[in-house]
Amino acid sequence: MTEQTFPKDFLWGGAIAANQVEGAWNLDGKGLSVADVATFKPHVDNKDFSAHMTVTTEAVKEAAADETDTWYPKRRGIDFYHHFKEDLALFAEMGFKTLRLSIAWTRLFPTGEEEEPNAAGIAFYKNVFKEMKRLNIEPIVTLSHYEMPLALSLKYNGWVDRSVINDFVRFANVCYDNFGEYVRYWLTFNEIDSIHRHPFTTAGIIPDKSGTHLENDIYQALHHQFVASALVTKAAHEKIPESQVGCMLTKLMTYPLTCEPTDVELTLKKNLENNFYADVQVKGMYPKMILKDLENRGIKLKITAEEREILKDNTVDFVTFSYYMSMAESGDPKAERTPGNTVLGVKNPYLPSTEWGWQIDPKGLKISLIELYDRYQLPLMIVENGMGAVDTVEEDGSIHDPYRIDYFKAHFKQMKEAIDEGVDLIGYTSWGPIDLVSAGTSQMTKRYGFIHVDADDEGNGTFDRSKKDSFYWYQKVIETNGASLDE
Ligand code: BG6
């Protein structure tokens, strides 16, 4: 007999990232981050994820010199900086047990290289954590979520330079010293694998600075992030006795388009590649086949014996991942493709898609849970999941979003099945429980929230918050610990 509800103490909640919500990009001593130069171009098709991503040194410098926020929606976010009490109160009203959020490195260290942190930045996050404590919302904090100091990117080509490890460790230690009394759960790098898909956003790499070494530089920067992740895991364990540190993977579940063996082989390799990033952080070493693959491709990684030890000795306590969609793989170059989360995959004929072409696949979430738990045998958390959609505000201000409810309901049922089959899933945070600026397209109109924010792509609007139908639906799911899913 299986229980009707989710496990007692299941961490229900939502997830946001500083660069997509805070705004206040130039207030109280904050420095420019890579997110602050991400543009929104209304004249291009923003359903193509790559539309705004031509990163060159010249374009970055030009954007950095622009003192307005007109074309840079991440500078505005949803003004969480000034609305955080109201937003946290709404999350508490929904019954959130947890909120995943990130700390903007540039609010604490404007260029990344200061010896001492910016006191105003520390004060802001302390106020946020105090309010969360008052509301009984457990924080899950990501140290790096697409917002490294732009100065480090321009000076060192971001994480390509080993010295950035020290800057990041200094930042993490300041976070632990100041927020450790409030925060138990820490994640090191958001979607560490995404460095291949958007090297600038994830690691501050400007392609023209790398020239012909771009691919090699990306792997070297990734290696530096792995080492930094291990070092800050160690520091958290030393400084915060109760701390639990997790890695964070973009789970890009891939199926063979057919059972033709080449399709199966390509798919297997794609999934091995996707898991490799968590493998390093959980097992403390690079998988042998990945090293061989790098060698075959002429990639030369500098890995010292000391770094190997650091990786081996400082593995994570739990595994987290984002899950939005799945895709297929095929040996047929003519197979139809469709966009996903910053990827282009083969279209699966059995699945529907969102308006942005992401294929909706609740069963893929269950398969991912089973696969990851079997592979790592560590507690799992889903720390991002949801669907971006265009919402309509009715004349009376209400927002009916049955498509969002359907999406979540189907995914929650699959989570429950996985738990009943033995997977140790300890928490779930939906992506963007309040509408926020899209990471991929910088749009506001690609909405994920249970809470609507009155703002458009150009920043027009009151920024007032209002509840969608899904707000009440999720509130009930949490209140009944999942029992309402059977209604
Ligand atoms: C995840 C990122 O990959 O996808 C988030 O961690 C992001 O930052 C989310 O917002 C959804 O993607 P998008 O492009 O729709 O915002």
Side-chain angles (χ1 to χ4, degrees), residues 229-246:
S229 176
L231 287 171
V232 301
T233 300
K234 179 174 194 268
H237 288 153
E238 286 168 0
K239 289 198 157 168
I240 312 168
E242 299 256 280
S243 64
Q244 295 283 302
V245 185

Side-chain angles (χ1 to χ4, degrees), residues 57 61 153-158 204-211 217:
T57 304
K61 283 188 174 166
S153 167
L154 287 166
K155 188 166 171 188
Y156 298 115
N157 207 13
I205 300 172
I206 302 178
D208 60 59
K209 284 188 188 287
S210 290
D217 278 359

Side-chain angles (χ1 to χ4, degrees), residues 129-144:
F129 293 130
K130 277 186 192 157
E131 188 64 7
M132 288 175 73
K133 186 171 181 179
R134 196 181 71 76
L135 295 166
N136 274 322
I137 300 177
E138 171 105 49
I140 301 172
V141 172
T142 315
L143 287 165
S144 177

Side-chain angles (χ1 to χ4, degrees), residues 189-474:
F189 289 86
N190 180 66
E191 298 185 336
I192 196 162
D193 51 286
S194 66
I195 192 167
H196 295 286
R197 304 191 294 279
H198 36 70
F200 178 65
T201 307
T202 307
I205 300 172
I206 302 178
D208 60 59
K209 284 188 188 287
S210 290
T212 54
H213 297 121
L214 181 59
E215 216 188 345
N216 213 98
D217 278 359
I218 288 175
Y219 276 102
Q220 193 62 50
L222 170 68
H223 175 66
H224 293 152
Q225 291 194 334
F226 281 143
V227 174
S229 176
L231 287 171
V232 301
T233 300
K234 179 174 194 268
H237 288 153
E238 286 168 0
K239 289 198 157 168
I240 312 168
E242 299 256 280
S243 64
Q244 295 283 302
V245 185
C247 57
M248 200 297 200
L249 179 74
T250 323
K251 187 61 194 154
L252 295 168
M253 171 56 66
T254 306
Y255 306 126
L257 184 63
T258 71
C259 51
E260 197 276 313
T262 302
D263 283 6
V264 177
E265 185 197 2
L266 289 171
T267 303
L268 176 72
K269 287 186 176 159
K270 228 174 175 170
N271 285 320
L272 286 179
E273 201 278 336
N274 182 225
N275 289 332
F276 134 65
Y277 306 88
D279 288 348
V280 176
Q281 291 170 288
V282 175
K283 298 177 182 173
M285 58 187 184
Y286 281 79
K288 279 188 187 155
M289 278 193 296
I290 292 290
L291 289 175
K292 186 70 192 166
D293 178 53
L294 296 182
E295 188 190 317
N296 291 343
R297 287 157 56 200
I299 309 266
K300 292 194 175 60
L301 270 191
K302 285 185 216 119
I303 308 180
T304 66
E306 190 195 348
E307 287 168 352
R308 281 184 211 281
E309 287 299 303
I310 292 170
L311 294 180
K312 189 152 81 54
D313 294 343
N314 300 288
T315 55
V316 292
D317 306 306
F318 66 110
V319 173
T320 79
F321 64 99
S322 61
Y323 178 87
Y324 292 89
M325 32 65 58
S326 69
M327 56 196 169
E329 179 59 303
S330 163
D332 176 1
K334 291 200 282 308
E336 190 188 348
R337 284 167 192 269
T338 185
N341 188 1
T342 60
V343 288
L344 204 58
V346 171
K347 198 167 165 54
N348 182 334
Y350 296 98
L351 299 176
S353 299
T354 70
E355 288 164 90
W356 275 260
W358 298 20
Q359 299 182 107
I360 302 174
D361 180 16
K363 181 66 79 187
L365 177 57
K366 177 179 175 186
I367 298 168
S368 300
L369 285 165
I370 293 172
E371 184 203 7
L372 291 174
Y373 189 56
D374 181 54
R375 192 177 183 95
Y376 300 127
Q377 305 283 320
L378 285 179
L380 301 179
M381 251 194 228
I382 300 160
V383 292
E384 285 186 32
N385 171 241
M387 75 180 287
V390 174
D391 292 329
T392 307
V393 184
E394 305 295 338
E395 270 185 22
D396 65 355
S398 59
I399 297 160
H400 307 303
D401 54 347
Y403 37 89
R404 186 168 287 113
I405 293 173
D406 288 349
Y407 178 98
F408 282 122
K409 190 173 195 175
H411 284 77
F412 292 178
K413 286 190 165 185
Q414 294 299 321
M415 280 153 50
K416 180 68 171 53
E417 281 188 23
I419 292 169
D420 289 344
E421 291 174 26
V423 171
D424 186 11
L425 177 64
I426 58 172
Y428 172 91
T429 57
S430 74
W431 177 247
I434 182 165
D435 293 345
L436 40 66
V437 177
S438 158
T441 68
S442 288
Q443 288 171 288
M444 260 312 293
T445 42
K446 186 181 188 189
R447 297 177 183 276
Y448 284 88
F450 305 111
I451 300 163
H452 176 81
V453 177
D454 178 32
D456 69 11
D457 292 334
E458 278 93 33
N460 305 305
T462 60
F463 285 67
D464 284 350
R465 281 56 172 154
S466 59
K467 299 167 192 170
K468 306 179 193 177
D469 287 356
S470 56
F471 179 99
Y472 303 100
W473 177 83
Y474 193 36

Side-chain angles (χ1 to χ4, degrees), residues 21-45:
V21 297
E22 284 179 9
W25 64 288
N26 54 1
L27 291 189
D28 300 334
K30 182 183 175 298
L32 275 185
S33 81
V34 292
D36 293 322
V37 295
T39 52
F40 166 68
K41 292 181 181 164
H43 59 278
V44 295
D45 175 9

